[in-house]
Amino acid sequence: MSFTIYSARKIITMNPNRPETTHVAVRDGRILGTGTLEELAGWGAHELDDRFADRILMPGLVEGHSHTMEGTFWRYIYCGFFDRMDPNGHIWEGARSIEAVVERLQEAAAKLDGPDAPLAGWSLDAIYYGDRRVDRHDLDKAAPERPVGVLNASGHILNVNTKALELAGLLRPGINHPGIPLGSDGLPTGELKGPDAMTPVGIHVGFDRDLLACDESGLRQFARLCVRAGVTTAADLANLLPQDAVKMMLRVTGEADYPARIVSLRRLQNMTVPEIVDRALELREMSTEKLRLGIIKVVSDGSIQGFSARLRWPGYYNGAPNGLWYVPPEQLREMFALALEKGVQVHTHTNGDEATELVMECLEEALRRHPAPDHRFTLQHCQLADAAQFRRMKALGMCVNLFPNHHFYWGDQHYAMTRMNACATAVATGVPMAIHSDAPVTPLGPLFTAWCAVNRQTASGRILGENERIDVATALRAITLGAAYTLKLDGEIGSIETGKRADFAVLEDDPEEIGAEKLKDVGVWGTVLGGRIFPAAEI
Ligand SMILES: [Zn+2]
């Protein structure tokens, strides 16, 4: 049977037996072997393909925590502070002031059909515009006659204009809701916090569906972003996965030219613990080569910069009250015990160290009742964990997926808090580690995430916690085998080894040679997924 041998300037395999080589043989979408041309030719009749001869091959990058809704968001207007690439490869310049945000929305409004069509934007990052909050009057300047809404980068706040409040029946005095702050005139300022406050207004500004859901065109756009970032497998971390969405995802990812492997987790919401465990088992059976299902996601607390994360003593530096439990501790205990019993994996979002502590306590208790080897329960974000907590994770058999992009995007604001995303401690303690973007919160791009973990540099150039920096090799492992391990896919993807899927990131530059400070600038030519070639320029 004929097969293909690809030559490359260098192949970084992540296989300790042969970390670096020049040729890889692919048959039926899988890796037949790596080595020299002579060695591989021994398999018999083959074609030699030299198209990567000047390029670097790495295992296809694995994004261990993102959301496919990033693909959906690009149909709205990008209002972020930093430059960002869209699925077409176009770079949108960051909006550096409230005025720039308004101007961008004005331009978009001018192109809309109909005088009262809604206008929606995303990725607003008010933290960069000084002390002044964005209010409804700012957005009124963009389009006073239309409902306008802009979702914040965190996804937890929606800013709307006067018209949108009016349509939702909220432009009136006497509103008493913790998620709807009022201005000096007694009317809502236009800032809406939390799903409770956001959803009823969201439908009037064009966010007409569950924001965590991703429709067909969004799923397609998301995969195009993956190719541009060298990603072949991406975790979609908080989907509700109703049956019609699963059907759509199976159909779309089942197309031969759909260019990404998606691991979609079912979020604990709208279901009891026994129901979600049954559903996870059912979903697992539906898994295909390019759509993996059956893992559960639990969100245990909020975010640090939103002061909704649960912190231990001494609490928030600015004196803010402690954050929120998103899932009651009793439910966490029930969740872990039943999942361990039934062999279902759980990934749990914790940001604050108190949340991390509670999750470990609950898991330890559950493990005593249902001992489970190799469960790989994973802490997601886990940004404030200390060394003792990493030791406990190791002892409990947990994995961790840290969020170094925070150092760059919000590091200057986090400056007062140390020890965030302690990658070096995780590695030194032997906790299996991945690192992630949480796209759309920050852009999908594992090489950028690796750069963040290696340099820990904030947007203003400050180094945040130099002792927690990791080396390039460790970071590259975290964005391939490390992330694959947390998804229990490391036997199949994450390295270039005989028998694994032929998933490669095709790079223009060598990430091992370019230098730590330039890691984020490594050019991505495209990907190979299951032996199929996807050049970014044609995607
Ligand atoms: Zn997330």
Side-chain angles (χ1 to χ4, degrees), residues 65-67 69 237-238 297 349 380-381 403 436 438-441:
H65 182 156
S66 56
H67 301 274
M69 66 179 165
L237 227 76
K297 162 82 179 293
H349 156 127
Q380 292 286 347
H381 304 322
F403 196 178
H436 67 267
D438 203 7
V441 177

Side-chain angles (χ1 to χ4, degrees), residues 92-113:
W92 286 74
E93 219 181 291
R96 303 294 160 112
S97 62
I98 296 177
E99 291 69 35
V101 171
V102 169
E103 210 173 294
R104 180 163 299 179
L105 289 168
Q106 270 165 349
E107 281 165 25
K111 292 184 198 148
L112 285 176
D113 300 332

Side-chain angles (χ1 to χ4, degrees), residues 170 173-174 373 375 478:
L170 288 174
H375 56 78

Side-chain angles (χ1 to χ4, degrees), residues 285-327:
E285 293 305 307
M286 289 185 241
S287 291
T288 59
E289 189 196 321
K290 288 199 286 183
L291 182 65
R292 302 306 170 94
L293 304 164
I295 308 177
I296 293 173
K297 162 82 179 293
V298 177
V299 178
S300 78
D301 70 342
S303 75
I304 297 163
Q305 71 276 29
F307 307 107
S308 50
R310 291 289 307 195
L311 265 54
R312 294 185 299 187
W313 187 89
Y316 285 103
Y317 189 65
N318 69 351
N322 209 348
L324 306 169
W325 292 120
Y326 283 19
V327 167

Side-chain angles (χ1 to χ4, degrees), residues 52-92:
F52 305 136
D54 294 331
R55 305 199 162 93
I56 310 290
L57 295 186
M58 260 189 79
L61 306 182
V62 183
E63 172 51 81
H65 182 156
S66 56
H67 301 274
T68 51
M69 66 179 165
E70 160 119 24
T72 315
F73 278 8
W74 280 105
R75 75 186 63 149
Y76 309 120
I77 310 303
Y78 176 65
C79 298
F81 186 85
F82 294 95
D83 297 355
R84 186 152 174 165
M85 185 175 63
D86 72 12
N88 297 322
H90 172 73
I91 309 273
W92 286 74

